[in-house]
Amino acid sequence: MTDDRSVRDGGTLTVALNSDPDKLDPTLAQTLVGRTVFAGMCEKLYDIDEDGTFVPQLAASLPTTSADGRTVTVRLRPGLKFSDGTRLDAPAAVTSLLRHRDLPGSARSTELAPVTEAKATGPLTVRLTLDHPYVPLTGVLADRAGMVMSPAALKKYGKNFTNHPSCVGPFRFVERTGGDRIVLKKDPNYYDAGKVHLDGVVYKPIPDGNVRLANLRSGDLQVGDQMAPVDVQSALTEPKLQLFNSPSLGYQGIGLNVGNVKGLGQKPGKIGTPVGRDVRVREAFELAIDRDLLNKVVFQGMYEPACGPISPQSAIAPGVAPEDCPRRDVDRAKELLKEAGVKTPVKIELKTSTTPEQGRVGQVLQAMVKEAGFELSLRPTEYATMLAETDAGDYDVFTSGWSGRLDPDGNVSNFLKTAGAMNAYGLGDPEIDKLIAEGRSVADPARRTEIYDELTRRVQDAHALIYLYRQKNYVVAGKDVAGIHVYGDGLVRVKNAGYTR
């Protein structure tokens, strides 16, 4: 959804996020709230538009691919400058691409693994050599793997780049106070600075939706991101507020530790918990959950039940429709626990973020699974801490979500591939790995749909990542704010934002 009313120049926009972003380093970052901040200061080689179509951003045109699919050429816009004043050219783009692929701990490594060589073949031309045809590459470069960072800043700050990020964007980074605010100011070096109306943007983490809404009403905030349905309903009655929304390409669910014993990027090991060692226990846990009731109780029916990684909104390989998701079956869940020979109640700890909404999700799940023979304890955990702990394998079950990508590979490979860069579950299945590889290599849409349908079934059978619902992207703003763009990827784009009076 977009709002293109005319706006005046000047002013600062304060945007409330539902949690504190993780590292402001495109190579290492994992969170949606972090992507929202990056949308203000770190542009990508490509982006998506309102229709879900890939469009050039830092690149001058869409990439060209050789007949064998193994050589991709990217041409850059001329005259680009980073926020530190240095120039963005082909060698700079190559530096970032190789860093995304090779830096230890990179969350982009799986996405760029097919790239065997990145080379500047001219001042503004980058040639990528692939080990196999890689259909999702444009989608990858339309996300954090396509963000280009200043080589001068990378050299100067090294591992501390997260505290001094420098990219190309409408705004430049000024300062961050952990847990309180991230401050950006208009960047005079930006190639499209004439279309930037605001003097600056401030991002504030406010986990409690009620507090976000109260601050929107008072005018202390101008934009509230990822607003919960209950708060959206309240906002609709406010004459001084407006609602932006779009369908989501992502999912929300729960991740179960089935093999994460040594942390991300490591081969799966054996987990001694009932959930980790026996798929029947995991299946019983899922059968105890009523997705429709969860949506009604927690989200007032304003989200959609989900049971797979790919949204039905995906035009490339539509996923499972809500009505086709498995139904709750407590009797079968009890039978499976009996077959597994586990002592009941099966004790499990669920880590959730500290937002009230996630707390309610945990409470509803707690009540549901109790009827089947589970004793679910809840551990609310600050979001960045929860990410660190689950990445390390320090958990039984946690609330796991993803904002979604246009190409289906972006919703599966990082999470489901053995030792994938964001596979916190320790899932390792050679058949899933083969399907991921084939889905990346095949261009035919019908065949890709078949591949991702089969992959979804195998993931469902593993019960390591239980998909529960798909959010809608709800953003509430003051009526005097215009120029905000909210698309299916869930990002609040503020490049053209400003005040109408």
Side-chain angles (χ1 to χ4, degrees), residues 144-160:
R144 283 167 293 205
M147 292 180 187
V148 183
M149 300 161 282
S150 163
L154 290 172
K155 183 177 180 180
K156 181 176 180 179
Y157 297 109
K159 293 181 179 179
N160 201 32

Side-chain angles (χ1 to χ4, degrees), residues 22-30 34 38 41-42 99-100 103 106-108 144 147 149 154 158-163 165 167 176:
D22 57 343
K23 294 180 179 180
L24 296 181
D25 181 329
T27 303
L28 303 173
Q30 299 184 39
F38 286 134
M41 68 177 191
C42 286
R99 183 179 189 266
H100 290 318
L103 187 72
S106 170
R108 317 278 82 84
R144 283 167 293 205
M147 292 180 187
M149 300 161 282
L154 290 172
K159 293 181 179 179
N160 201 32
F161 178 84
T162 182
N163 295 317
C167 304
R176 177 177 190 173

Side-chain angles (χ1 to χ4, degrees), residues 172-194:
R172 60 178 177 83
F173 176 82
V174 176
E175 63 179 354
R176 177 177 190 173
T177 303
D180 180 63
R181 65 182 57 218
I182 296 168
V183 179
L184 309 183
K185 293 294 183 184
K186 182 177 178 178
D187 186 2
N189 292 309
Y190 182 53
Y191 65 92
D192 215 8

Side-chain angles (χ1 to χ4, degrees), residues 97 109 136 235 269 299 306 336 362 366 414 454 477:
L97 288 165
S109 59
F299 307 115
L336 285 167
Q366 188 179 53
N414 268 343
E454 184 178 350

Side-chain angles (χ1 to χ4, degrees), residues 37 55 59 65 79 82 99 111 123 129 137 164 171 176 183 276 290 327 346 359 367 436 438 459 486 494:
V37 176
V55 293
T65 304
F82 295 106
R99 183 179 189 266
E111 299 167 344
T129 304
L137 182 60
H164 305 274
F171 302 93
R176 177 177 190 173
V183 179
D290 186 327
R327 299 300 171 186
V346 180
I436 288 173
E438 187 178 359
V459 173
V486 180
V494 295

